[in-house]
Amino acid sequence: MTDPMRTQQSELDQLPDRDPEETAEWQASLDAVTEAAGPHRAAYLMRRTLERAEAGGLALPKLLETDYVNSIPTAAEPAIDGDEEMERRITAWNRWNAAAMVTRGSKHGVGGHIATFASAAWLYETGFNHFFKGKEGDGSGDQLYIQGHASPGIYARAFLDGRLSEQQLDLFRQESGGNGLPSYPHPRRLPWLWEFPTVSMGLGPLSAIYQARFNRYLTNRGIKDVSASHVWAFLGDGEMDEPESTAALALASREGLDNLTFVINCNLQRLDGPVRANFKIVQELEAQFRGAGWNVVKSLWGNAWDELFQLDTTGALVRRLREVPDAQVQTYQTRDAAYIREDFFGKDPALVELAKLISDDKILECFHLSRGGHEPRKVYAAYKAALEHKGAPTVILAQTVKGFTLGEGFASKNANHQMKKLTTDEFKNMRDLLELPIKDSDFVDGVVPYGHPGADSPEVRYLQERRAALGGLAPARRTQPLPALPAPADKAFASFDKGSGSQSVATTMAFVRLVKDLVRDKETGKRWVPIVPDEARTFGMESLFPSLGIYSPKGQTYEPVDRDQLMYYKEAKNGQILNEGITEAGSMADFIAASSAYSTHGEAMIPFYIFYSMFGWQRTADQMWQLGDQLGRGFLVGATAGRTTLTGEGLQHADGHSPMIAATNPAALSYDPAFAYEVAAIVKEGLRRMYGEAKQDEDQNVFYYLTVYNEPMPQPAKPAADGIDQGIVKGLYRFNTAETAGLSPAANAPRIQLLGSGTAIHWTLKAQQLLAEEWGVAADVWSATSWTELRRDALEADAAILRGEERVPFVRQALQGAEGPVLAVSDYMRQVPDQIAQWVEQDWSSLGADGFGLSDTREAARRHFGVDAESIVVAALAQLAKRGEVKATAVKEARERYGL
């Protein structure tokens, strides 16, 4: 067996020691201290020595954990610049109204969460009173990512500052009438208040990091100086279990995002019980963040603990605090002094002696009430330290009690996340604790009253004065419309109308070529934000590297290996491309920050994020829902799309369903263009709708999803018929007829309508030719650019009919008079085209690539799924045979001829 000590010594021997004798003396000193004063004293000295080395800039590994005490001792806390008593009264009103709102709502069965804000109230109130910059001052103000379950407390503050009424509080979680308040931060539901949706756990921290990064991007590119903006993300310790919560910690430290602060409410509880029952979540998070390069500030204990720490001359108290698991700390919160004396202090003789010096009341004050997150001076000191720290982001680990001030029935109880109301007696106890002037007679018929000191009260005036000094009320979202961006010259779009001639071009390449032209536009080119997850070369974007540059806050500190090549890898501080590495989640977070910059910073940016289509909606659909909630605008581009176009990559890369998932997102306009000119027309329309002069009845707060393909095909010229652009945008137009295709069908030939989308249009065109030349069938070919938009239009038409309005769905209008049955084909599961089946008057059938993908040639894969041209022919003949328009034997003959 290998001797671990010998291995360790062998590793140390790799480092040259110019003075082994001196080294031995240091080691002997450590051994002597350990023997004379014990291992705890030796560890203490080593820790302090390493801290001194780190402070002096010596290149040593950092300590990943510190003692379970506050980072900032009481003696070092700065004085609060404000009226602490006034702020206590304001916070008391907000605590009361948050609990009252949820309790009153419970009578309607809508529920809500009380305990989270109760634990975090001072974390928010201290920020609102002293740190969070509003949007009415210079710059863009701060960006606040509010913990979703704390929303009642934010509504309570908006009630106090006059932005919400009692009637609105009573409509918490009752939105259907149009005046209610959403359960959580939802910008789409309450766009004047909320900026960032955060309650989908993990997305808040991830988005906050990329928002802080995007702020630097805007500043470094000269779009807008937002260097004064600070991003604050309020998170729960349980939320940190989500992989997205910590996925980008290294990015934040690597890029030195000192414009970012995480505030983690460590109440030690998640929804079902303790976060780390047998461990310590604060210590775990400290190690995780320190290891990632963050500045860590711990605010764990309140002032009541100072006396205990002063009595701890042996370090036994600090050691005991480090070893007690979180679930036991939670238990102390609910037990009497005798239990705490026995279980906490009774484990160490030194602590037994210490406990004799303190009263039962002091023990209960410390273990039941006194936490760093519940004392404004502690929170103020932590926030100030975070803002003053430069060169790295900061995380504040604030320890609190979940359900604080709500009474013994709530505090630290495992079930308090599901507890939605307080009794009248509990409210009266809370009133007395908070010293609020609410009378027993104010409780009418057992209904808890809202409380307000008055619009002209000292509390409200103080609140308004503090917010005015900080730049206006918060949280708040800017909702005023921006001037429309000038439309790019038509030349960029019209160049695709003539087709590619004999050259084969993939629609992915057509899109990239279009973007190359658009980023050169003098008016809007700088506003494009290309985002790619380490696949730019796959999508043919490497030519953009030297012209646009890849964003890096450090610029390029090395000579790239391909510097002598035309398309070399160029990084720049003002680079335009965000090349995120292998992280679709990070790329989506980039997109969300850029897509809502029109509101956050008053700067309209045009993000396009291009990705393997399989790894977009399937992998990050939750963020795309977040994007819709945040009212983001831009272009998502699912490249290498379809189930049969990337078959060499196999099952997990074969996308046969992304348009179906996209169809579930109301803010997503999903398109599956077949030709380059369709791509151009859709992008042109998207720019007009999202950034230009939108029509009065249009929602600008949408985003576009385009599927593009890596299969080079001849790109035809745009048909000269009227209404082509309208058909492209609405989702369907006739590309050709058997006659215009030059197939010369017989006058009485059976006829069928073939609808194809994306790359399937090419198989459909080949089938059109086979049907005419081998079976005497006339087929008209239609390009279905968006099955989803056709369906949505039809649903709106149905709704209009129910209102008594006459309206015909566009798909029915387009196909009106078209002879024969309809056969729809796509490179996706049949459910995608089947979205519109019920509104098609003709006989309907469809083909698609259902099931898992597989590795093979494109031709073999299409034959396997039954969507190639020959399969289309057989399906078309089967449809016609049902109608008696071709002989039934033709179907069998075709199957045999094509080997199906």
Side-chain angles (χ1 to χ4, degrees), residues 596-610:
S596 52
Y598 73 91
S599 172
T600 309
H601 295 299
E603 295 288 343
M605 304 300 288
I606 312 171
F608 83 86
Y609 164 35
I610 187 168

Side-chain angles (χ1 to χ4, degrees), residues 543-809:
S543 61
L544 297 177
F545 290 168
S547 59
L548 300 183
I550 299 165
Y551 173 73
S552 169
K554 289 183 175 291
Q556 194 155 36
T557 61
Y558 61 92
E559 182 178 358
V561 67
D562 53 358
R563 182 62 184 86
D564 57 342
Q565 298 178 16
L566 182 63
M567 293 182 286
Y568 69 97
Y569 195 81
K570 177 186 175 183
E571 295 187 80
K573 190 173 182 179
N574 64 347
Q576 194 164 350
I577 301 170
L578 291 172
N579 191 318
E580 288 304 350
I582 305 174
T583 167
E584 286 83 6
S587 299
M588 267 306 302
D590 265 337
F591 187 90
I592 291 169
S595 72
S596 52
Y598 73 91
S599 172
T600 309
H601 295 299
E603 295 288 343
M605 304 300 288
I606 312 171
F608 83 86
Y609 164 35
I610 187 168
F611 49 87
Y612 266 54
S613 64
M614 187 66 161
F615 301 139
W617 287 91
Q618 176 163 304
R619 182 167 290 187
T620 57
D622 194 14
Q623 287 177 283
M624 291 163 180
W625 202 263
Q626 176 192 6
L627 166 64
D629 193 350
Q630 198 163 315
L631 308 175
R633 305 170 185 173
F635 296 95
L636 296 175
V637 184
T640 59
R643 183 145 280 164
T644 70
T645 60
L646 193 66
T647 53
E649 300 286 347
L651 182 151
Q652 283 188 279
H653 286 61
D655 172 22
H657 50 280
S658 70
M660 202 67 250
I661 306 176
T664 65
N665 190 311
L669 277 61
S670 177
Y671 286 88
D672 186 28
F675 305 124
Y677 67 79
E678 293 177 353
V679 172
I682 293 164
V683 171
K684 182 180 180 180
E685 170 63 12
L687 290 172
R688 181 203 65 78
R689 177 167 177 176
M690 294 185 291
Y691 301 97
E693 298 288 351
K695 298 173 185 175
Q696 189 172 3
D697 62 342
E698 285 182 318
D699 182 3
Q700 280 188 281
N701 299 316
V702 295
F703 59 94
Y704 282 67
Y705 175 56
L706 281 73
T707 48
V708 293
Y709 297 82
N710 66 327
E711 185 174 11
M713 300 294 289
Q715 296 297 327
K718 185 177 181 179
D722 293 337
I724 296 297
D725 284 344
Q726 181 193 39
I728 292 172
V729 171
K730 284 186 169 291
L732 182 68
Y733 69 95
R734 183 155 46 196
F735 176 72
N736 69 16
T737 65
E739 290 77 11
T740 58
L743 298 175
S744 304
N748 60 347
R751 189 171 289 269
I752 190 169
Q753 308 300 317
L754 302 180
L755 278 57
S757 70
T759 195
I761 200 79
H762 300 286
W763 327 325
T764 306
L765 288 169
K766 182 179 177 183
Q768 178 190 42
Q769 183 178 1
L770 291 173
L771 283 167
E773 295 177 352
E774 300 185 13
W775 305 99
V777 172
D780 301 337
V781 173
W782 300 71
S783 179
T785 54
S786 179
W787 309 101
T788 301
E789 287 305 295
L790 290 173
R791 175 180 176 80
R792 288 177 177 169
D793 172 81
L795 290 171
E796 290 173 8
D798 286 355
I801 292 172
L802 293 176
R803 295 192 301 267
E805 304 170 16
E806 287 297 325
R807 182 172 165 189
V808 179

